[in-house]
Amino acid sequence: MALIVQKYGGTSVGDVDRIKNVARRSIAAQAAGHDVVVVVSAMSGETNRLLKLVSQISDRPSEREQDVVLATGEQVSIGLLALAIQAQGGKATSFLGHQVRITTDSTFSKARIKHIDAERIVEALKQKHIVVVAGFQGQDEQGNITTLGRGGSDTTGVALAVALKADACEIYTDVNGVYTTDPNVCPAARKLDRISYEEMLELASLGAKVLQIRSVEFAMKYKVPLWVKSSFTDDPGTLVCEEDKSMENVLVSGIAYDKNEAKIDINGVPDTPGVAAKIFGALSERNIGVDLIVQTASHQGRTDLTFTVGKTDLPHARELVERVAKEINAGAVETDVEVSKVSIVGVGMRNHSGVAAKMFQVLSGEGINIQLIATSEIKVSCLIHAKYTELAVRALHTAFGLDQPPVEG
Ligand code: ASP
Ligand code: MG
């Protein structure tokens, strides 16, 4: 007998029939002899609907109150799911985050889980109940309701699996696993049987939306094997797990793209110590994250500095950068939102050279200009014109041999 945590996303509980389907699946898992804890998201579209209500009242809402509103979405789905399980003859109890003491810090809207006191869950499991827990929410030390950031139910699922020492954590979604790239963009995309935590983490940070980044960090830290599966099929899905030797044979495991960044250029930046610190210090003070950065070689004591920020941060970032540019006596500030970041990821890159060069060749072969480059041990990212995103992804997918399944050995 095993203890299984199953997490179902918004589309999996998107309507009453789908909720009944989840009830059937959790009952089947219990009938197979397991203790079952189910974490659910709000019904699809619900969190957005709630956010919209908030925005109609205030454009700078108190994050504490916004969390009070957003946390209600999951309350509806846990109650409905528990009812559906009961209607099918099963035993079920639902719990909100605070009822099972999911304690977080007080960073409203993106709180981090600090600990979970799973006593009530264990008690209910002993009574042979399927335990249904609200994802995405917790409570801080003062008893305020908090939420974990968009997609946060994944993290609730993994954190519960850790707290309960579960044997497996299954993340159910509307696709049947993790793909080599977005199948909507590249018809040749393939489902992966396995992927390492590290690769998954990179892909999630680079724009792949299957799992919340923090849930992967958690799983990696505590070595929880994560299954990504579809709630609509019986496909075994993708296992996210520790890296092993065979994974290194594959140069590139996945390709991600992200159209949510914007580029900022500062021309004629005086080439003196402290200037970069001033610019990026001002941005970080305002919690504006900077991604790719490039500085050109100094020419007559001046350089050009180019970097990217999130599109939603652009208006604010531009204002700040223009102010600092004046202070340091730099030239014009230009921005561009028609950009996209395309990245290749693979642990095999660690032991192979020439991967980045091949990526550049493929892009240039398609006539695509590379505006910025960033690399890490297991990824290479290029910023290109947004209109070439699909072309770039497809060309890279083919060039790195992802159109065909890898040869074992
Ligand atoms: N309901 C929340 C959201 O839409 C959390 C989740 O779905 O994981 O972001
Ligand atoms: Mg989700």
Side-chain angles (χ1 to χ4, degrees), residues 7 9-10 41 150-154 173 209-212:
K7 178 264 168 178
S41 295
R150 297 310 303 270
S153 302
D154 293 342
T173 171
K209 285 173 204 72
V210 247
L211 290 170
Q212 199 200 29

Side-chain angles (χ1 to χ4, degrees), residues 133-338:
V133 181
F136 179 55
Q137 56 175 264
Q139 158 186 293
D140 70 4
E141 305 276 6
Q142 288 74 44
N144 298 302
I145 292 171
T146 55
T147 67
L148 310 179
R150 297 310 303 270
S153 302
D154 293 342
T155 301
T156 307
V158 176
L160 275 175
V162 172
L164 293 161
K165 301 195 175 57
D167 300 282
C169 183
E170 303 172 341
I171 307 282
Y172 286 89
T173 171
D174 50 1
V175 291
N176 56 4
V178 179
Y179 277 69
T180 49
T181 192
D182 181 352
N184 297 316
V185 157
C186 176
R190 281 181 307 103
K191 195 202 77 179
L192 296 159
D193 294 332
R194 294 185 323 144
I195 187 165
S196 70
Y197 292 125
E198 235 185 309
E199 289 168 320
M200 192 64 241
L201 198 57
E202 284 283 9
L203 288 173
S205 338
L206 292 168
K209 285 173 204 72
V210 247
L211 290 170
Q212 199 200 29
I213 298 170
R214 208 169 279 167
S215 73
V216 185
E217 284 170 356
F218 235 105
M220 180 157 118
K221 180 163 172 203
Y222 295 99
K223 302 191 178 17
V224 184
L226 264 189
W227 286 96
V228 180
K229 293 167 181 267
S230 162
S231 57
F232 307 116
T233 69
D234 287 319
D235 193 287
T238 301
L239 177 63
V240 187
C241 59
E242 282 193 276
E243 180 181 333
D244 66 29
K245 272 265 162 277
S246 72
M247 292 177 178
E248 288 170 15
N249 297 334
V250 182
L251 274 190
V252 171
S253 304
I255 300 173
Y257 66 90
D258 188 352
K259 294 183 176 173
N260 292 313
E261 289 186 19
K263 188 175 72 164
I264 301 183
D265 267 307
I266 316 176
N267 295 296
V269 177
D271 194 12
T272 48
V275 162
K278 205 163 198 167
I279 295 168
F280 296 117
L283 291 165
S284 90
E285 245 169 56
R286 297 300 172 86
N287 268 323
I288 297 176
V290 172
D291 190 21
L292 311 183
I293 303 177
V294 163
Q295 184 177 16
T296 58
S298 180
H299 183 71
Q300 293 177 337
R302 297 203 171 245
T303 69
D304 292 339
L305 193 60
T306 307
F307 54 93
T308 62
V309 297
K311 264 188 190 152
T312 48
D313 285 331
L314 181 62
H316 200 167
R318 185 180 180 131
E319 214 180 279
L320 275 177
V321 168
E322 275 172 346
R323 190 169 336 131
V324 178
K326 254 197 210 106
E327 270 172 43
I328 59 176
N329 201 16
V333 174
E334 286 159 43
T335 61
D336 186 357
V337 292
E338 294 293 309

